[in-house]
Amino acid sequence: MIEVVVTRKHREAEGIYSFELAPVEGSMLPAFSAGSHIDVHLPNGLVRQYSLCNHPEECHRYLLGVLLDPASRGGSQAMHEHVHEGSRLRISEPRNLFPLEHAAGYSVLFAGGIGITPILCMAERLARIGAPFELHYCGRSAGRMAFIEYIRHSPFADRVHVHVDDGEESQRLDAAQVLSMPADDRHLYVCGPNGFMEHVLGTARERGWAEAQLHREYFAAAAAAPASEAGGFEVQLASSGLCLQVPADRSVAQVLLEAGIDIPLSCEQGICGTCITRVLEGEPDHRDMFLTDAERARNDQFTPCCSRARSARLVLDL
């Protein structure tokens, strides 16, 4: 864990603050790559993941952008209301689950709302190395778009297309037109609300983009199935043979923790992949947003924070 201090808290847009973090001890923070995020341990005990949006060559600081989610489970609310300039926080080292493909001949970046945070870092990196790219930044209005003025005056401003819902029809995003020319060396990166991401990814697939060229990062999980549809099942620990019942209204992670089985948890929504556990027998019901379709098809791992079982029992490598 790394202890940092908040050196600047700034209102970037309606409902969005940026937080600049600097090391308490030492002059530099661990290096990171475009698309990385950190775990932030909040004053209320929660742990949340936030993307790093500054240039990856800047190791004297980390810059975060945090939207106050109306449906906040306590994370964004704590950042907005209880974290101030001078506050000290504990964070993890950066991890990258959304990396750039540096061999790409051309990159198309899409950001929806607060999804600009990892995408901005990617644009900084691509511009610095002279790689060709374009960035499409979409929002409800300019007043709700974080870092918009910085982007408009950035060295890569000529590669940025801003699309706002309350603007003229001519500037609205036409994903079909933007993605009309797939090529083997073109890669797409998208982050934002789930509906926005599915629209961009779905359009890309319709236009013939290969799945390997599509890269995404989710900020929120899809709506879970109602408990009445989830059903109960059993998990067995391979090391001890212990069998535990997972009722319809409890997650596997909750049942394991209540039984004294320690598993790492972070987002608890199936987004970050922290809790991935090997499955030795049985068929998981995958409900995460982290595993790829190919990884899900193997049925040899799952996310116990949100996924369930299609079979009556799962034998876990625990």
Side-chain angles (χ1 to χ4, degrees):
M1 299 302 299
I2 304 165
E3 189 172 9
V4 295
V5 60
V6 179
T7 55
R8 188 169 188 259
K9 177 182 180 180
H10 178 68
R11 186 181 184 275
E12 296 289 345
E14 183 179 341
I16 301 175
Y17 274 96
S18 64
F19 298 82
E20 184 174 298
L21 312 179
V24 171
E25 297 182 1
S27 59
M28 303 294 279
L29 290 163
F32 67 97
S33 55
S36 295
H37 72 271
I38 56 173
D39 295 342
V40 178
H41 293 249
L42 299 168
N44 59 5
L46 296 176
V47 180
R48 292 292 182 264
Q49 296 76 43
Y50 295 110
S51 295
L52 300 177
C53 47
N54 53 306
H55 194 285
E57 291 182 7
E58 295 181 344
C59 291
H60 65 285
R61 67 167 188 158
Y62 289 158
L63 183 66
L64 315 177
V66 181
L67 167 70
L68 180 59
D69 186 348
S72 173
R73 297 178 299 130
S76 63
Q77 184 176 11
M79 287 291 290
H80 276 240
E81 297 180 3
H82 303 299
V83 176
H84 309 285
E85 292 183 1
S87 295
R88 292 195 175 194
L89 297 170
R90 290 184 306 129
I91 64 172
S92 70
E93 291 193 356
R95 292 183 296 166
N96 198 339
L97 306 174
F98 189 38
L100 277 172
E101 176 54 65
H102 283 84
Y106 195 84
S107 299
V108 186
L109 313 179
F110 290 91
I114 195 59
I116 189 62
T117 49
I119 298 297
L120 177 57
C121 186
M122 290 179 169
E124 297 272 20
R125 171 62 178 167
L126 292 169
R128 180 65 61 90
I129 64 176
F133 74 96
E134 62 187 85
L135 165 57
H136 294 268
Y137 186 8
C138 305
R140 294 181 183 177
S141 65
R144 292 173 175 263
M145 301 173 76
F147 309 112
I148 188 66
E149 288 306 314
Y150 171 80
I151 291 171
R152 282 173 169 162
H153 295 90
S154 70
F156 51 86
D158 60 334
R159 307 184 203 183
V160 179
H161 306 269
V162 176
H163 311 278
V164 291
D165 292 348
D166 61 1
E168 296 180 1
E169 188 69 28
S170 60
Q171 55 80 58
R172 300 284 179 88
L173 175 65
D174 184 348
Q177 190 279 326
V178 173
L179 299 170
S180 62
M181 295 187 296
D184 291 343
D185 65 345
R186 287 192 165 221
H187 285 257
L188 178 158
Y189 303 84
V190 60
C191 188
N194 291 352
F196 168 78
M197 294 177 62
E198 292 307 318
H199 170 65
V200 171
L201 294 169
T203 302
R205 294 183 183 109
E206 290 172 0
R207 293 290 166 174
W209 288 66
E211 201 65 32
Q213 297 167 268
L214 307 180
H215 312 274
R216 80 282 284 165
E217 183 168 65
Y218 290 95
F219 278 165
S228 59
E229 298 178 12
F233 56 96
E234 185 177 72
V235 293
Q236 182 177 14
L237 310 188
S239 61
S240 64
L242 176 65
C243 292
L244 300 169
Q245 293 297 322
V246 181
D249 61 347
R250 307 291 285 172
S251 71
V252 175
Q254 290 171 330
V255 170
L256 291 172
L257 290 172
E258 289 172 359
I261 312 301
D262 189 25
I263 60 169
L265 287 177
S266 189
C267 74
E268 298 183 59
Q269 298 183 82
I271 300 171
C272 70
T274 299
C275 66
I276 285 179
T277 302
R278 287 188 64 208
V279 176
L280 303 179
E281 295 179 28
E283 182 183 0
D285 178 6
H286 297 288
R287 301 187 178 193
D288 65 281
M289 309 290 280
F290 179 80
L291 296 174
T292 65
D293 289 342
E295 289 170 333
R296 291 180 180 181
R298 291 199 297 268
N299 283 327
D300 60 357
Q301 58 184 341
F302 86 138
T303 50
C305 69
C306 65
S307 296
R308 303 189 66 78
R310 295 186 183 279
S311 54
R313 174 186 292 185
L314 294 178
V315 179
L316 307 180
D317 189 18
L318 291 173

